[in-house]
Amino acid sequence: RNDRIVVIGGVAAGMSAAAKAARVKPDARITVFTNEIYISYGACGFPYFLAGEIENEAKLVARSIEQFRAQNIDVRVGHEVLKINPADKKVSVKKLGTVEEVDYDKLVIATGASPFIPPVEGVNLRNVFVLRNMGHAMELKNYISREKPKNAVIVGGGYIGLEMAEMLLKLGCKVAIVELAPQIVPNMDEDMAAILKEYLEKNGVEVFTAEKLMRIEGREAVEKVVTDKRELVSEMVLLAVGTIPNSKLAEDAGIELGIRNAIKVNTRMETSIPDIYAAGDCATVRHRLTGEDVYIPLGTTANKQGRVAGENAAGGNAEFAGVLGTGIAKVMNMEIARTGLSARELQQHGIEYVETVILARTKAGYYPGSEKIYIKLIAGKQDGKLWGAQIVGGAGAGKRIDVFAACMHLGATVDAVQDMDLAYAPPFSPVYDAILVGLTDLQ
Ligand code: FAD
């Protein structure tokens, strides 16, 4: 019948793939295997769950096993796929010590990613945490409620490290961030990251950049973090130094890997082996501006790629448009966002550019709650093509990045979008929105 669709992984990409496949082909026999107990949850909500702003973990779950079952999707939790055998079109699945062979006609690999653990002494001590899946979130939640830590060290100054800094501060913890790169948020430029660093320091977070984690010390639990420059007394450590794609299963099956060892996919989410698709944090994605394969693991992409994989596995013909590397995060009352390429990335690509950084307000200056907003814009030196935008600012600043993302998605030049008819009323923006101020200044 050619209708057995097997999906490996039950979070963003996996469940999007299964749900889309069921809509496209309602009589397909769809089975999802996940080695976790929870499915379809929003890991992006973990920091807010840990801060107590979301009352329980169930609220993070988008749809239940029963809801998927009603859509004719068989979700098997606690099932680990050990092996893919493309020659016989089978997967080996382990549940409680028994291994079963399951046939597929189409396979979607949505195994996600794992936190990178730096190879230093002490990472196995008690109270050293990572945050990636629901199990990690529950472990951290239990620890925080039980021990109420007073000092925490976060290793890694990316989005997750920063969101967790906010969370720990809210819980009354003293927080230090240790970042190996010369700046925090390494996917932004140094000048923009510096604004956030200053804000964090003003709010009591210690930020140590260009500093290397050497080891974590303690008898059983964490007592001290040692870097190449100092020692920090701490009761807990969060390692947030990046993610590595779960691509070993695919590699062992002979599937080609691409950049950063992620599973290489084309715009249809096809891997190098027929009838096997991959999507989400385990897979590569095409950058719209450079046309290159990149590895930018994000929930927004995982959902979209999952949908495309699911549609094609069900016999459809979908393509994924690619990404711009758009990202956003909130750290206390500061919002940071970026899209396109940073100045550093343009230099690496040998592209000549012009840039500007402007300071404006999020609302009319006289309106209550008007905050500072910094926008950095980058355009091609010769052709004025918009290459990148970065924002740091108060409430309402961050989502302005979407305007730039939309412009870049359509390949706009600065001239073409300078007089855009953007909405204005005092509670939302000054009469010239910061977006237009930036574009005019870049001219
Ligand atoms: P995963 O979520 O990793 O799911 C893969 C699943 O497959 C897991 O359950 C895994 O256990 C299972 N699996 C792996 N191997 C096997 C196997 N062999 N057999 C069976 N099951 C297997 N993204 C954003 O866009 N915006 C945000 O604000 C944001 N915030 C985040 C905050 C935090 C704290 C974290 C951790 C992530 C955040 N992300 C955010 C990233 C986002 O959560 C991920 O991009 C998304 O979860 C990826 O989905 P996925 O389905 O590809 O992979």
Side-chain angles (χ1 to χ4, degrees):
R1 279 170 60 190
N2 198 31
D3 64 354
R4 289 163 305 187
I5 300 174
V6 167
V7 178
I8 313 172
V11 191
M15 295 324 296
S16 296
K20 186 64 183 178
R23 279 196 296 277
V24 172
K25 196 170 183 172
D27 60 348
R29 289 175 287 171
I30 304 170
T31 311
V32 178
F33 293 111
T34 170
N35 54 12
E36 284 197 80
I37 299 303
Y38 288 88
I39 60 154
S40 181
Y41 58 79
C44 317
F46 286 160
Y48 314 103
F49 163 61
L50 291 167
E53 289 164 14
I54 295 157
E55 70 196 76
N56 58 48
E57 70 276 14
K59 297 248 175 194
L60 297 174
V61 175
R63 290 170 75 196
S64 66
I65 293 179
E66 292 69 35
Q67 283 169 307
F68 283 107
R69 199 159 286 149
Q71 215 189 332
N72 208 13
I73 297 167
D74 182 10
V75 182
R76 311 267 189 90
V77 298
H79 282 63
E80 183 177 2
V81 176
L82 299 178
K83 194 168 170 246
I84 302 166
N85 179 347
D88 299 335
K89 291 192 139 186
K90 284 182 195 303
V91 289
S92 311
V93 188
K94 186 173 122 192
K95 161 106 204 269
L96 299 173
T98 58
V99 178
E100 161 194 19
E101 298 290 308
V102 178
D103 296 304
Y104 68 81
D105 295 307
K106 307 278 180 184
L107 179 68
V108 178
I109 305 173
T111 46
S114 298
F116 175 70
I117 311 286
V120 300
E121 216 178 288
V123 288
N124 293 322
L125 285 170
R126 206 151 41 80
N127 305 342
V128 176
F129 298 95
V130 290
L131 183 59
R132 172 73 207 180
N133 60 34
M134 193 61 110
H136 299 141
M138 297 307 289
E139 233 176 83
L140 201 44
K141 181 85 176 170
N142 289 338
Y143 164 75
I144 290 164
S145 340
R146 202 178 54 236
E147 312 266 333
K148 302 196 172 35
K150 286 277 153 271
N151 291 285
V153 171
I154 296 174
V155 186
Y159 292 155
I160 295 178
L162 292 167
E163 288 177 352
M164 287 299 291
E166 167 180 340
M167 186 285 279
L168 288 162
L169 277 182
K170 265 189 197 142
L171 297 172
C173 203
K174 195 166 164 293
V175 180
I177 297 176
V178 175
E179 167 62 58
L180 179 64
Q183 63 174 79
I184 51 171
V185 261
N187 68 4
M188 293 178 84
D189 284 320
E190 209 282 329
D191 48 355
M192 297 300 276
I195 303 167
L196 181 67
K197 181 170 186 267
E198 195 188 319
Y199 171 80
L200 286 169
E201 286 169 343
K202 262 193 197 144
N203 283 276
V205 181
E206 288 182 299
V207 184
F208 304 117
T209 48
E211 200 158 316
K212 189 172 180 195
L213 172 70
M214 301 305 283
R215 61 183 179 277
I216 305 169
E217 289 183 2
R219 270 152 296 181
E220 281 172 21
V222 176
E223 290 167 26
K224 201 172 15 171
V225 172
V226 182
T227 73
D228 57 355
K229 299 205 179 114
R230 76 198 77 234
E231 296 189 352
L232 298 159
V233 173
S234 183
E235 299 141 76
M236 70 160 279
V237 173
L238 176 75
L239 299 173
V241 286
T243 46
I244 40 176
N246 293 331
S247 55
K248 179 86 174 51
L249 194 62
E251 187 183 18
D252 289 348
I255 294 170
E256 192 187 339
L257 303 187
I259 185 153
R260 302 263 308 272
N261 277 337
I263 303 170
K264 192 169 166 53
V265 289
N266 61 18
T267 51
R268 291 171 45 84
M269 300 299 118
E270 292 163 336
T271 67
S272 61
I273 294 190
D275 297 326
I276 303 184
Y277 301 82
D281 283 12
C282 63
T284 60
V285 63
R286 194 180 59 94
H287 198 291
R288 281 182 73 84
L289 295 182
T290 61
E292 294 169 346
D293 277 350
V294 289
Y295 181 64
I296 305 179
L298 283 174
T300 168
T301 308
N303 275 285
K304 293 174 196 141
Q305 285 190 322
R307 245 173 139 238
V308 170
E311 180 159 352
N312 292 339
N317 187 18
E319 284 201 67
F320 181 50
V323 298
L324 294 165
T326 310
I328 188 165
K330 182 180 90 68
V331 196
M332 293 176 276
N333 294 321
M334 213 42 144
E335 300 178 356
I336 53 171
R338 55 98 65 212
T339 188
L341 299 190
S342 63
R344 190 172 44 246
E345 287 169 318
L346 282 165
Q347 285 156 22
Q348 284 158 4
H349 281 83
I351 298 166
E352 284 196 307
Y353 62 90
V354 288
E355 63 170 53
T356 185
V357 178
I358 61 111
L359 169 61
R361 310 289 306 178
T362 54
K363 303 167 190 270
Y366 54 79
Y367 191 85
S370 174
E371 305 255 11
K372 281 185 186 170
I373 170 172
Y374 294 88
I375 299 187
K376 175 167 185 167
L377 291 182
I378 307 169
K381 194 168 178 181
Q382 314 304 342
D383 57 7
K385 175 178 162 167
L386 209 44
W387 278 104
Q390 297 167 42
I391 297 178
V392 178
K399 275 297 263 183
R400 282 177 159 97
I401 203 72
D402 286 345
V403 174
F404 297 115
C407 293
M408 282 182 223
H409 188 91
L410 299 172
T413 58
V414 178
D415 292 3
V417 290
Q418 233 205 81
D419 290 327
M420 276 185 296
D421 183 16
L422 302 183
Y424 160 66
F428 301 99
S429 74
V431 68
Y432 270 98
D433 191 277
I435 294 166
L436 296 175
V437 177
L439 288 167
T440 310
D441 203 61
L442 192 58
Q443 261 280 302

